[in-house]
Amino acid sequence: MGGAFALLAAHDDFDAASVNYGQLPRNLEQALEGACPVVANYGAKDRTMPGAAAKLEAALTNLGIEHDVKEFPTAGHAFMNDAPVGPRPLRPLMRVMGIKPDPAAAPEAWQRIEEHFARYLKD
């Protein structure tokens, strides 16, 4: 939910936004018009939102909004979490859906966010 909210709020007088595997608004370009700079991290193995990174990249480019969108090839949904999420009986299903931590991709994603905020959030 957080990534989707960040996208919807990116044009509301914020200096920077971070989107991590966020659902895209239906009218993406309309929702992003006038948005602040965006850094976004998605997982290529996330079966809950295939193609989201490419769609977001295209919309931000079309609108001329500064952005850095990356799709991590080994990562799925919720890859930045420290531990498996959800009730234990549902975790096998979540893994099949690509919802699990990815300790190999998460550090780079966090670094990208820190660098983005360091660049755009001053004073």
Side-chain angles (χ1 to χ4, degrees):
M1 285 181 10
F5 289 139
L7 282 174
L8 292 172
H11 68 280
D12 290 342
D13 274 341
F14 287 98
D15 294 325
S18 172
V19 179
N20 300 301
Y21 28 85
Q23 291 285 346
L24 303 179
R26 283 197 181 139
N27 300 314
L28 184 56
E29 287 196 22
Q30 181 182 351
L32 291 173
E33 195 167 341
C36 61
V38 174
V39 63
N41 299 296
Y42 285 86
K45 293 184 177 182
D46 185 345
R47 293 184 182 104
T48 67
M49 52 186 71
K55 291 173 189 169
L56 179 58
E57 172 89 30
L60 292 168
T61 298
N62 288 342
L63 292 167
I65 295 168
E66 291 185 57
H67 63 279
D68 182 7
V69 178
K70 180 164 183 174
E71 185 176 75
F72 291 82
T74 62
H77 193 79
F79 74 91
M80 294 172 65
N81 290 352
D82 292 333
V85 296
R88 186 173 299 278
L90 294 179
R91 289 184 187 166
L93 174 62
M94 294 172 80
R95 280 192 300 275
V96 168
M97 293 297 297
I99 302 172
K100 64 180 180 177
D102 185 335
E108 181 182 346
W110 283 113
Q111 183 66 37
R112 289 165 38 77
I113 294 166
E114 290 175 14
E115 289 172 0
H116 182 75
F117 286 152
R119 180 176 177 192
Y120 293 104
L121 302 181
K122 298 182 180 174
D123 297 329

